Amino acid sequence: MDHLTLTRPDDWHLHLRDGAALAAVVGHTAAVFGRAVVMPNLKPPVRTTADAVEYRERIRAALPAGSRFEPLMTLYLTGTTPVAEIDRAKASDAVIGVKYYPAGATTNSDAGVRDLNEARPVLERMQEVGLPLLVHGEVTDPSVDTFDREAVFIDRVLAPLLRALPRLRLVFEHATTREAVAFVKDHAQAAATLTPQHLLLNRSAMFQGGLRPHLYCLPVLKRESHREALIEAATSGSPQFFLGTDSAPHGRTTKETACGCAGVYSAHAALPLYAEAFESVGRLDRLEGFASHFGADFYGLARNPDTVTLVREPWHVPEGYAFGADTLVPFRAGETLGWRVAPEARA
Ligand code: DOR
Ligand code: ZN
Protein backbone atom coordinates (compact mmCIF):
# COMPACT_ATOMS: atom_id res chain seq x y z
CA MET A 1 0.00 0.00 0.00
CA ASP A 2 1.51 3.31 -1.07
CA HIS A 3 -1.36 5.67 -0.34
CA LEU A 4 -3.67 5.85 2.62
CA THR A 5 -6.61 8.25 2.51
CA LEU A 6 -8.28 9.01 5.83
CA THR A 7 -10.98 11.26 7.14
CA ARG A 8 -9.10 14.42 8.17
CA PRO A 9 -7.70 13.73 11.66
CA ASP A 10 -7.87 15.87 14.81
CA ASP A 11 -5.28 16.25 17.55
CA TRP A 12 -6.98 15.80 20.93
CA HIS A 13 -4.00 17.09 22.99
CA LEU A 14 -1.77 19.91 21.81
CA HIS A 15 0.40 22.70 23.24
CA LEU A 16 0.40 25.79 21.03
CA ARG A 17 1.92 28.34 23.46
CA ASP A 18 1.45 32.03 22.66
CA GLY A 19 3.10 34.95 20.85
CA ALA A 20 6.10 34.15 18.64
CA ALA A 21 6.12 30.47 19.66
CA LEU A 22 2.47 30.10 18.67
CA ALA A 23 3.16 31.74 15.32
CA ALA A 24 6.09 29.37 14.76
CA VAL A 25 4.21 26.12 15.38
CA VAL A 26 0.51 26.47 14.62
CA GLY A 27 0.95 26.04 10.87
CA HIS A 28 2.28 22.51 11.27
CA THR A 29 -0.87 21.34 13.02
CA ALA A 30 -3.26 23.38 10.91
CA ALA A 31 -1.83 21.94 7.69
CA VAL A 32 -3.07 18.46 8.48
CA PHE A 33 -5.50 18.43 11.43
CA GLY A 34 -9.05 19.75 11.31
CA ARG A 35 -9.16 20.60 15.00
CA ALA A 36 -7.01 20.36 18.09
CA VAL A 37 -7.66 20.44 21.81
CA VAL A 38 -5.41 23.25 22.99
CA MET A 39 -3.83 22.91 26.43
CA PRO A 40 -4.28 25.82 28.86
CA ASN A 41 -0.84 25.78 30.56
CA LEU A 42 0.19 29.25 29.50
CA LYS A 43 1.81 31.70 31.91
CA PRO A 44 -0.55 32.78 33.39
CA PRO A 45 -2.86 29.82 32.69
CA VAL A 46 -6.14 29.94 30.80
CA ARG A 47 -8.47 29.85 33.79
CA THR A 48 -11.74 31.26 32.55
CA THR A 49 -13.99 30.97 29.54
CA ALA A 50 -13.20 34.61 28.80
CA ASP A 51 -9.45 33.78 28.82
CA ALA A 52 -10.10 30.84 26.50
CA VAL A 53 -12.09 32.92 24.03
CA GLU A 54 -9.29 35.50 23.90
CA TYR A 55 -6.64 32.83 23.47
CA ARG A 56 -8.69 31.24 20.68
CA GLU A 57 -8.68 34.63 18.93
CA ARG A 58 -4.89 34.83 19.16
CA ILE A 59 -4.60 31.33 17.73
CA ARG A 60 -6.93 32.15 14.86
CA ALA A 61 -4.97 35.32 14.14
CA ALA A 62 -1.75 33.28 13.90
CA LEU A 63 -3.17 30.78 11.38
CA PRO A 64 -2.02 30.77 7.77
CA ALA A 65 -4.40 32.67 5.48
CA GLY A 66 -7.39 30.57 4.42
CA SER A 67 -6.91 27.92 7.12
CA ARG A 68 -10.08 26.24 8.38
CA PHE A 69 -8.34 24.80 11.44
CA GLU A 70 -10.48 25.00 14.56
CA PRO A 71 -8.94 25.35 18.05
CA LEU A 72 -10.95 23.61 20.78
CA MET A 73 -10.22 25.27 24.09
CA THR A 74 -9.69 23.98 27.61
CA LEU A 75 -9.71 25.60 31.04
CA TYR A 76 -7.01 25.12 33.63
CA LEU A 77 -8.51 23.77 36.84
CA THR A 78 -7.32 25.47 40.01
CA GLY A 79 -8.29 25.13 43.66
CA THR A 80 -10.37 28.29 43.24
CA THR A 81 -12.19 27.64 39.96
CA PRO A 82 -15.82 28.62 40.70
CA VAL A 83 -18.69 26.29 39.85
CA ALA A 84 -20.20 29.08 37.75
CA GLU A 85 -17.16 28.86 35.47
CA ILE A 86 -18.25 25.36 34.49
CA ASP A 87 -21.64 26.71 33.44
CA ARG A 88 -20.00 29.47 31.43
CA ALA A 89 -17.67 26.97 29.77
CA LYS A 90 -20.49 24.58 28.96
CA ALA A 91 -22.61 27.38 27.50
CA SER A 92 -19.75 28.67 25.35
CA ASP A 93 -18.90 27.40 21.88
CA ALA A 94 -15.21 27.59 22.79
CA VAL A 95 -14.44 25.30 25.73
CA ILE A 96 -14.71 21.52 25.44
CA GLY A 97 -13.02 20.37 28.62
CA VAL A 98 -11.20 21.25 31.83
CA LYS A 99 -7.58 20.23 32.35
CA TYR A 100 -6.43 18.95 35.70
CA TYR A 101 -2.71 19.34 36.36
CA PRO A 102 -1.61 18.14 39.79
CA ALA A 103 0.35 21.16 41.06
CA GLY A 104 4.00 20.84 40.14
CA ALA A 105 3.57 17.79 37.88
CA THR A 106 4.88 19.42 34.71
CA THR A 107 5.58 22.57 32.67
CA ASN A 108 3.62 25.56 34.02
CA SER A 109 1.61 23.46 36.44
CA ASP A 110 2.34 25.50 39.61
CA ALA A 111 -1.19 26.88 39.59
CA GLY A 112 -2.67 23.38 39.42
CA VAL A 113 -4.73 21.62 42.04
CA ARG A 114 -3.03 20.57 45.27
CA ASP A 115 -5.94 18.69 46.77
CA LEU A 116 -8.67 17.45 44.48
CA ASN A 117 -11.19 17.80 47.32
CA GLU A 118 -10.92 21.56 46.85
CA ALA A 119 -12.37 21.08 43.39
CA ARG A 120 -15.12 18.63 44.36
CA PRO A 121 -18.09 20.98 43.71
CA VAL A 122 -16.61 21.89 40.33
CA LEU A 123 -16.12 18.23 39.42
CA GLU A 124 -19.68 17.44 40.49
CA ARG A 125 -20.94 20.17 38.22
CA MET A 126 -18.82 18.84 35.35
CA GLN A 127 -20.33 15.41 35.85
CA GLU A 128 -23.80 16.95 35.87
CA VAL A 129 -23.38 18.95 32.66
CA GLY A 130 -21.19 16.39 30.88
CA LEU A 131 -18.04 18.51 30.55
CA PRO A 132 -15.01 16.18 30.35
CA LEU A 133 -12.10 16.31 32.78
CA LEU A 134 -8.75 16.03 30.99
CA VAL A 135 -6.18 14.60 33.36
CA HIS A 136 -2.42 14.76 33.62
CA GLY A 137 -2.18 11.48 35.50
CA GLU A 138 0.92 11.61 37.67
CA VAL A 139 1.39 12.04 41.39
CA THR A 140 3.88 14.70 42.38
CA ASP A 141 4.95 13.05 45.63
CA PRO A 142 8.76 13.22 45.42
CA SER A 143 9.06 9.91 47.26
CA VAL A 144 7.35 8.10 44.37
CA ASP A 145 9.71 6.92 41.66
CA THR A 146 9.30 8.94 38.44
CA PHE A 147 8.51 5.82 36.45
CA ASP A 148 5.75 4.80 38.90
CA ARG A 149 3.97 8.15 39.16
CA GLU A 150 1.23 7.30 36.68
CA ALA A 151 0.35 3.94 38.21
CA VAL A 152 0.33 5.43 41.72
CA PHE A 153 -1.88 8.29 40.53
CA ILE A 154 -4.47 5.79 39.35
CA ASP A 155 -4.61 4.15 42.78
CA ARG A 156 -4.44 7.29 44.88
CA VAL A 157 -6.46 9.76 42.82
CA LEU A 158 -8.29 8.48 39.75
CA ALA A 159 -9.87 5.31 41.05
CA PRO A 160 -11.33 7.08 44.12
CA LEU A 161 -12.44 9.98 41.90
CA LEU A 162 -14.44 7.79 39.56
CA ARG A 163 -15.86 5.82 42.48
CA ALA A 164 -17.19 9.08 43.89
CA LEU A 165 -18.25 10.51 40.51
CA PRO A 166 -19.06 7.48 38.37
CA ARG A 167 -20.54 9.49 35.51
CA LEU A 168 -17.70 12.00 35.21
CA ARG A 169 -16.37 11.89 31.66
CA LEU A 170 -12.62 11.62 31.77
CA VAL A 171 -9.72 11.71 29.31
CA PHE A 172 -6.56 10.10 30.60
CA GLU A 173 -4.15 12.32 28.69
CA HIS A 174 -0.93 10.91 27.26
CA ALA A 175 -1.36 7.50 28.87
CA THR A 176 2.01 5.78 29.17
CA THR A 177 1.50 2.55 31.12
CA ARG A 178 -0.35 -0.74 30.96
CA GLU A 179 -2.04 0.28 34.22
CA ALA A 180 -3.52 3.33 32.49
CA VAL A 181 -4.73 1.23 29.57
CA ALA A 182 -6.39 -1.23 31.97
CA PHE A 183 -7.99 1.59 33.97
CA VAL A 184 -9.50 3.16 30.86
CA LYS A 185 -10.81 -0.16 29.57
CA ASP A 186 -12.48 -0.71 32.96
CA HIS A 187 -14.33 2.61 32.87
CA ALA A 188 -16.78 3.12 30.04
CA GLN A 189 -16.95 6.88 30.65
CA ALA A 190 -13.18 7.24 30.20
CA ALA A 191 -10.90 7.52 27.18
CA ALA A 192 -7.19 8.10 26.67
CA THR A 193 -4.97 9.97 24.28
CA LEU A 194 -1.73 8.38 23.13
CA THR A 195 1.34 10.25 21.86
CA PRO A 196 3.59 9.25 18.97
CA GLN A 197 6.70 9.08 21.15
CA HIS A 198 5.11 6.75 23.70
CA LEU A 199 3.90 4.46 20.88
CA LEU A 200 7.28 4.42 19.14
CA LEU A 201 9.88 4.51 21.89
CA ASN A 202 10.69 3.04 25.24
CA ARG A 203 12.76 4.68 27.97
CA SER A 204 16.06 3.30 26.72
CA ALA A 205 15.78 5.70 23.77
CA MET A 206 16.45 8.60 26.14
CA PHE A 207 19.91 7.21 26.85
CA GLN A 208 20.86 5.70 23.53
CA GLY A 209 24.48 6.67 22.78
CA GLY A 210 24.25 9.53 25.30
CA LEU A 211 21.60 11.68 26.92
CA ARG A 212 18.80 12.70 24.51
CA PRO A 213 17.11 15.77 25.96
CA HIS A 214 14.72 16.08 23.03
CA LEU A 215 13.12 12.77 24.03
CA TYR A 216 12.43 13.94 27.56
CA CYS A 217 8.77 14.59 28.19
CA LEU A 218 6.28 14.11 31.02
CA PRO A 219 5.07 11.55 31.68
CA VAL A 220 8.50 10.19 30.89
CA LEU A 221 8.95 7.31 28.41
CA LYS A 222 8.38 3.91 30.02
CA ARG A 223 9.80 0.42 29.61
CA GLU A 224 9.09 -1.73 26.54
CA SER A 225 6.26 -3.78 28.05
CA HIS A 226 4.29 -0.57 28.61
CA ARG A 227 4.94 0.61 25.07
CA GLU A 228 3.58 -2.71 23.83
CA ALA A 229 0.42 -2.24 25.90
CA LEU A 230 -0.06 1.22 24.38
CA ILE A 231 0.41 -0.03 20.81
CA GLU A 232 -2.02 -2.83 21.50
CA ALA A 233 -4.62 -0.33 22.83
CA ALA A 234 -4.12 2.13 19.97
CA THR A 235 -4.48 -0.50 17.29
CA SER A 236 -7.22 -2.51 19.01
CA GLY A 237 -10.04 -0.64 17.32
CA SER A 238 -11.41 0.40 20.74
CA PRO A 239 -12.98 3.88 20.53
CA GLN A 240 -11.61 4.64 24.02
CA PHE A 241 -8.12 5.32 22.61
CA PHE A 242 -7.43 8.16 20.23
CA LEU A 243 -4.80 10.51 18.85
CA GLY A 244 -3.33 13.25 21.04
CA THR A 245 0.21 14.24 20.18
CA ASP A 246 1.05 16.25 23.31
CA SER A 247 3.32 18.11 20.90
CA ALA A 248 5.04 20.52 23.31
CA PRO A 249 7.49 22.99 21.79
CA HIS A 250 10.46 24.26 23.79
CA GLY A 251 13.40 26.19 22.32
CA ARG A 252 16.65 24.34 21.85
CA THR A 253 18.41 26.41 24.52
CA THR A 254 15.87 25.33 27.14
CA LYS A 255 16.18 21.64 26.18
CA GLU A 256 19.96 21.38 25.76
CA THR A 257 20.89 22.70 29.18
CA ALA A 258 21.72 21.53 32.68
CA CYS A 259 18.05 21.40 33.69
CA GLY A 260 16.06 20.86 30.54
CA CYS A 261 12.34 21.37 29.94
CA ALA A 262 9.97 18.46 29.37
CA GLY A 263 8.28 18.18 26.01
CA VAL A 264 8.63 16.52 22.62
CA TYR A 265 7.71 18.51 19.52
CA SER A 266 5.89 16.26 17.05
CA ALA A 267 3.37 18.45 15.26
CA HIS A 268 5.54 18.74 12.14
CA ALA A 269 5.24 14.98 11.48
CA ALA A 270 2.42 13.73 13.66
CA LEU A 271 0.41 11.69 11.19
CA PRO A 272 3.43 10.03 9.53
CA LEU A 273 4.70 9.08 13.00
CA TYR A 274 1.43 7.44 13.98
CA ALA A 275 1.36 5.67 10.59
CA GLU A 276 4.79 4.27 11.36
CA ALA A 277 3.60 3.02 14.76
CA PHE A 278 0.49 1.38 13.32
CA GLU A 279 2.38 -0.12 10.42
CA SER A 280 4.93 -1.64 12.81
CA VAL A 281 2.21 -4.06 13.95
CA GLY A 282 0.53 -4.43 10.55
CA ARG A 283 -2.45 -2.33 11.59
CA LEU A 284 -2.59 0.63 9.20
CA ASP A 285 -6.23 -0.29 8.65
CA ARG A 286 -6.97 0.85 12.24
CA LEU A 287 -5.28 4.25 11.91
CA GLU A 288 -8.34 6.10 10.65
CA GLY A 289 -10.54 5.23 13.62
CA PHE A 290 -7.81 6.26 16.06
CA ALA A 291 -6.79 9.44 14.26
CA SER A 292 -10.04 10.69 12.78
CA HIS A 293 -13.13 9.10 14.32
CA PHE A 294 -12.94 8.14 17.98
CA GLY A 295 -11.92 11.50 19.45
CA ALA A 296 -14.71 13.37 17.70
CA ASP A 297 -17.17 10.68 18.76
CA PHE A 298 -16.06 10.93 22.41
CA TYR A 299 -16.49 14.70 22.47
CA GLY A 300 -19.82 14.50 20.63
CA LEU A 301 -18.56 16.43 17.64
CA ALA A 302 -19.04 15.64 13.97
CA ARG A 303 -16.18 13.89 12.23
CA ASN A 304 -14.36 16.07 9.72
CA PRO A 305 -16.03 16.14 6.30
CA ASP A 306 -12.89 15.96 4.16
CA THR A 307 -9.83 13.73 3.90
CA VAL A 308 -6.04 13.71 3.94
CA THR A 309 -3.77 11.30 2.13
CA LEU A 310 -0.60 9.73 3.46
CA VAL A 311 1.90 8.75 0.81
CA ARG A 312 4.69 6.24 1.28
CA GLU A 313 7.56 8.48 0.34
CA PRO A 314 10.81 9.25 2.17
CA TRP A 315 10.61 12.57 3.94
CA HIS A 316 13.66 14.17 5.48
CA VAL A 317 12.82 15.90 8.75
CA PRO A 318 14.59 19.26 9.15
CA GLU A 319 17.26 19.62 11.85
CA GLY A 320 15.35 22.56 13.28
CA TYR A 321 12.61 25.10 12.79
CA ALA A 322 12.74 28.82 13.55
CA PHE A 323 11.20 29.43 16.98
CA GLY A 324 11.24 33.13 17.83
CA ALA A 325 14.86 33.95 18.67
CA ASP A 326 15.57 30.27 19.33
CA THR A 327 15.41 27.03 17.33
CA LEU A 328 12.92 24.21 17.73
CA VAL A 329 14.40 20.72 17.40
CA PRO A 330 11.58 18.45 16.22
CA PHE A 331 11.09 14.76 16.95
CA ARG A 332 13.25 12.74 14.51
CA ALA A 333 15.26 15.84 13.52
CA GLY A 334 17.60 15.03 10.65
CA GLU A 335 16.10 11.56 10.12
CA THR A 336 14.07 10.21 7.25
CA LEU A 337 10.45 9.10 7.74
CA GLY A 338 8.72 6.59 5.48
CA TRP A 339 5.40 8.42 5.18
CA ARG A 340 4.45 11.97 4.36
CA VAL A 341 1.17 13.83 4.06
CA ALA A 342 0.31 14.50 0.42
CA PRO A 343 0.85 18.19 -0.38
CA GLU A 344 -2.74 18.82 -1.51
CA ALA A 345 -3.84 18.30 2.09
CA ARG A 346 -1.47 21.02 3.28
CA ALA A 347 -3.78 23.90 2.38
O1 DOR B 1 6.37 16.94 28.44
C1 DOR B 1 5.45 17.70 28.69
N1 DOR B 1 5.43 18.96 28.21
N2 DOR B 1 4.45 17.27 29.46
C2 DOR B 1 3.49 18.08 29.87
O2 DOR B 1 2.61 17.64 30.57
C3 DOR B 1 3.50 19.52 29.53
C4 DOR B 1 4.26 19.75 28.32
C5 DOR B 1 4.60 21.21 28.08
O3 DOR B 1 3.71 22.06 28.24
O4 DOR B 1 5.73 21.50 27.71
ZN1 ZN C 1 0.42 18.03 27.35
Side-chain angles (χ1 to χ4, degrees):
M1 199 202 306
D2 290 327
H3 285 76
L4 185 62
T5 296
L6 324 168
T7 302
R8 185 178 293 281
D10 302 299
D11 185 347
W12 299 98
H13 184 130
L14 179 67
H15 297 270
L16 283 177
R17 314 303 191 206
D18 214 341
L22 165 63
V25 300
V26 70
H28 283 153
T29 295
V32 173
F33 292 94
R35 297 163 289 199
V37 173
V38 181
M39 289 298 130
N41 62 331
L42 303 181
K43 264 185 177 166
V46 178
R47 295 172 202 250
T48 66
T49 306
D51 292 344
V53 167
E54 283 172 26
Y55 183 31
R56 183 172 67 170
E57 276 319 302
R58 298 197 296 280
I59 296 167
R60 286 180 172 159
L63 286 170
S67 173
R68 289 193 303 263
F69 173 76
E70 202 186 324
L72 306 171
M73 310 310 291
T74 56
L75 301 188
Y76 189 115
L77 184 66
T78 73
T80 58
T81 302
V83 172
E85 199 55 57
I86 300 308
D87 297 330
R88 283 189 284 272
K90 182 70 184 172
S92 78
D93 70 344
V95 176
I96 71 156
V98 176
K99 181 74 188 276
Y100 163 37
Y101 287 102
T106 187
T107 308
N108 299 348
S109 63
D110 314 345
V113 180
R114 265 155 235 287
D115 175 0
L116 207 49
N117 286 322
E118 293 169 2
R120 177 54 72 89
V122 166
L123 297 171
E124 282 170 1
R125 191 81 183 134
M126 288 173 63
Q127 168 172 266
E128 217 172 294
V129 302
L131 192 66
L133 182 70
L134 282 45
V135 177
H136 184 112
E138 289 191 287
V139 291
T140 54
D141 179 346
S143 72
V144 176
D145 188 281
T146 295
F147 294 96
D148 298 334
R149 287 183 184 181
E150 186 170 284
V152 171
F153 183 85
I154 292 169
D155 293 342
R156 286 193 193 164
V157 182
L158 271 195
L161 178 65
L162 288 194
R163 271 197 297 276
L165 300 172
R167 289 175 296 106
L168 181 65
R169 310 202 65 219
L170 183 133
V171 183
F172 200 128
E173 298 293 344
H174 41 57
T176 67
T177 57
R178 79 173 85 78
E179 288 87 352
V181 167
F183 180 83
V184 168
K185 285 185 182 164
D186 272 357
H187 293 82
Q189 74 278 44
T193 54
L194 298 168
T195 79
Q197 68 269 22
H198 292 101
L199 291 174
L200 288 165
L201 301 176
N202 64 44
R203 63 190 187 177
S204 294
M206 279 186 299
F207 311 106
Q208 200 178 346
L211 190 60
R212 305 282 184 160
H214 298 288
L215 297 181
Y216 171 58
C217 63
L218 289 171
V220 72
L221 295 172
K222 302 297 192 299
R223 65 165 66 240
E224 178 64 9
S225 57
H226 293 291
R227 189 193 71 84
E228 287 167 0
L230 303 181
I231 276 274
E232 146 70 24
T235 61
S236 67
S238 161
Q240 288 180 286
F241 299 93
F242 45 80
L243 187 157
T245 61
D246 198 19
S247 180
H250 291 276
R252 168 175 232 148
T253 56
T254 65
K255 294 284 289 176
E256 297 177 14
T257 180
C259 186
C261 293
V264 170
Y265 184 72
S266 60
H268 64 301
L271 199 56
L273 292 166
Y274 283 108
E276 183 178 320
F278 277 62
E279 188 167 39
S280 73
V281 290
R283 273 292 172 198
L284 273 177
D285 60 316
R286 297 259 166 93
L287 181 61
E288 185 179 33
F290 175 82
S292 314
H293 295 166
F294 303 151
D297 299 351
F298 177 87
Y299 281 101
L301 299 172
R303 298 174 183 179
N304 289 316
D306 54 346
T307 60
V308 298
T309 298
L310 276 163
V311 185
R312 189 190 299 284
E313 206 174 87
W315 176 50
H316 190 71
V317 178
E319 296 283 355
Y321 293 104
F323 189 65
D326 207 334
T327 301
L328 181 58
V329 179
F331 189 39
R332 293 286 188 76
E335 295 180 35
T336 301
L337 302 183
W339 291 93
R340 68 177 303 168
V341 179
E344 58 270 23
R346 302 173 160 248

